[in-house]
Amino acid sequence: MPTIKRILVTGGAGFLGSHLCERLVEDGHDVICLDNFFTSQKTNVTHLLSRPNFELVRHDVTQAIWLEVDEIYNLACPAAPGHYQYNPIKTIKTSVMGAINVLGMAKRCRAKVLQASTSEVYGDPEVHPQPESYRGSVNPLGPRACYDEGKRAAETLFMDYHRMNRVNIRIVRIFNTYGPRMHPFDGRVVSNFIRQALAGQDITIFGDGQQTRSFCYRDDLIEGMMRMMNGPDDFIGPVNLGNPHEFTIRQLAELVIELTGSKVKLVRRPLPPDDPTRRQPDITLARQRLNWQPTIELRAGLEATIDWFRKIDVSQYRPPTPNYD
Ligand code: NAD
Ligand code: UDP
């Protein structure tokens, strides 16, 4: 009989958080989903509200909160460039103050706490593919810094609470992940291309489209994240989680056009500043220590995502809530 744990998921109503909550509820755990709904919809978790082992709390992680739990997955943070640049001060506060608040809670409750970090800690990388030992090339002054540096500072806080206070931590560095329940107006490349193709609008390629990303389907990612949380205490990370299969943005656009059967064209738009040119995870460590690797290739994952986008009513999705803290 598996142990039932009290588990807090911050950012639990978001794209990844809502899937994680689903998995944990199915496994029988007592799940608290905490979110301020800045970039998500309550509808992502309304189907869980009738479950006796699921609770939804509206709260902002920049403020302290008193909860008794055994494990914390810290996902609260806007993740799409358009969302995190909407209010950059709030973004960095969310990463840093959110980390301090969950680490304080973990210290008090002796809970285990996992940080959802990001491949953005590598910035625009000079090393390819990126192993965890690479220290990155981040512009601390640019428009992406509120997110990149916020996540880097959060990793530092996790390591310091671990060394100083023996908090049981895990750090995962997530590479571009996609799937059903992405916010259709988050501006990320997968959601933009699918939404545009289905609406018959031309697909917007930023720059020449030769920049690369490696896309991981959300189910693979959630599996890796849970393996990391449940893995041995001597393996705290950071560990890369992502699909090492690398594509140019132009290839992604062509695949979306093929799979949607759309007749739209590709149109060029300026490349945003500091946009990383290449990105591909080295997942040797995850393979060795977690026995994890992605199983869902881009074509299959995109088919599932396109099916979901066909079913939703995009007029029901709102842009981020103004928030000037
Ligand atoms: P998302 O925007 O769908 O989810 C983030 C959630 O956090 C949302 O529900 C949002 O409302 C909530 N949130 C934001 N600020 C908050 C605050 N101050 N207090 C409480 N809740 C707050 O994005 P996602 O893709 O599900 O990302 C989840 C986590 O994974 C993020 O921490 C992100 O940085 C990390 N990550 C995601 C990816 C990816 O490709 N999806 C890649 C790297 C890292
Ligand atoms: N991109 C694009 N068209 C779009 C949205 C994004 O060409 O409509 C590009 C963007 O410039 C970047 C890549 O796709 O090179 C991935 O962007 P995304 O915002 O999804 O995530 P990032 O990895 O940059 O955080």
Side-chain angles (χ1 to χ4, degrees):
M1 173 85 183
T3 321
I4 294 176
K5 291 176 280 198
R6 297 164 302 174
I7 304 181
L8 169 66
V9 181
T10 76
F15 158 53
L16 293 177
S18 60
H19 286 288
L20 177 62
C21 286
E22 258 169 28
R23 283 276 311 261
L24 297 170
V25 165
E26 284 312 318
D27 289 351
H29 298 296
D30 197 351
V31 178
I32 304 174
C33 165
L34 181 154
D35 210 295
N36 70 349
F37 305 111
F38 174 49
T39 60
S40 57
Q41 318 282 116
K42 247 185 271 178
T43 49
N44 284 348
V45 288
T46 35
H47 61 294
L48 294 173
L49 288 173
S50 58
R51 304 289 291 262
N53 55 338
F54 181 78
E55 234 176 308
L56 179 59
V57 178
R58 181 190 283 266
H59 183 79
D60 191 310
V61 285
T62 59
Q63 308 293 321
I65 187 167
W66 195 261
L67 294 168
E68 303 293 331
V69 291
D70 305 304
E71 281 179 2
I72 305 167
Y73 288 85
N74 188 36
L75 273 63
C77 187
H83 282 167
Y84 67 65
Q85 289 170 23
Y86 179 81
N87 182 343
I89 298 169
K90 178 72 189 195
T91 299
I92 197 159
K93 277 188 181 178
T94 296
S95 271
V96 174
M97 294 161 76
I100 292 170
N101 286 328
V102 295
L103 285 161
M105 192 192 303
K107 180 182 166 191
R108 179 172 54 76
C109 302
R110 297 198 173 79
K112 201 193 304 184
V113 55
L114 176 144
Q115 168 67 358
S117 190
T118 169
S119 52
E120 284 284 318
V121 300
Y122 303 123
D124 190 3
E126 307 109 328
V127 172
H128 194 79
Q130 294 82 54
E132 291 82 353
S133 55
Y134 176 51
R135 292 185 188 173
S137 167
V138 172
N139 174 4
L141 307 176
R144 297 175 85 102
C146 59
Y147 182 70
D148 302 8
E149 297 292 9
K151 289 283 189 179
R152 286 169 69 96
E155 287 197 10
T156 306
L157 283 160
F158 268 69
M159 291 307 297
D160 285 336
Y161 269 77
H162 175 66
R163 281 189 289 254
M164 248 190 104
N165 300 126
R166 293 185 298 283
V167 174
N168 193 357
I169 63 156
R170 303 285 189 274
I171 299 172
V172 297
R173 290 182 178 156
I174 303 170
F175 284 64
N176 297 63
T177 301
Y178 69 99
R181 247 183 248 154
M182 292 183 88
H183 194 299
F185 297 107
D186 65 11
R188 289 191 259 203
V189 70
V190 174
S191 28
N192 259 14
F193 285 3
I194 295 178
R195 187 177 44 74
Q196 289 165 338
L198 292 180
Q201 294 162 356
D202 291 341
I203 287 191
T204 49
I205 302 272
F206 298 168
D208 61 7
Q210 291 310 307
Q211 70 271 37
T212 68
R213 294 294 185 272
S214 308
F215 299 100
C216 186
Y217 190 64
R218 57 119 215 258
D219 294 19
D220 282 332
L221 195 280
I222 298 298
E223 176 63 29
M225 199 188 268
M226 290 174 68
R227 282 192 198 198
M228 185 60 181
M229 179 64 110
N230 296 311
D233 284 344
D234 70 348
F235 184 50
I236 61 172
V239 65
N240 288 339
L241 294 180
N243 190 321
H245 204 157
E246 186 183 7
F247 292 85
T248 66
I249 293 307
R250 187 168 286 272
Q251 285 174 320
L252 174 74
E254 284 160 1
L255 190 53
V256 168
I257 289 180
E258 180 198 325
L259 296 176
T260 52
S262 178
K263 299 272 180 286
V264 296
K265 298 192 299 296
L266 307 184
V267 291
R268 294 270 295 267
R269 293 283 176 271
L271 189 68
D274 295 338
D275 199 280
T277 7
R278 299 181 77 186
R279 188 183 283 157
Q280 183 190 29
D282 177 338
I283 60 162
T284 311
L285 198 56
R287 281 200 175 102
Q288 286 170 349
R289 296 301 309 262
L290 306 175
N291 192 24
W292 176 86
Q293 63 180 17
T295 57
I296 300 159
E297 277 312 326
L298 185 59
R299 177 175 284 270
L302 280 181
E303 280 169 350
T305 311
I306 290 167
D307 276 354
W308 181 80
F309 269 81
R310 282 190 199 281
K311 288 186 200 125
I312 59 167
D313 172 3
V314 291
S315 69
Q316 296 302 308
Y317 287 79
R318 49 167 180 72
T321 318
N323 198 333
Y324 300 106
D325 286 1

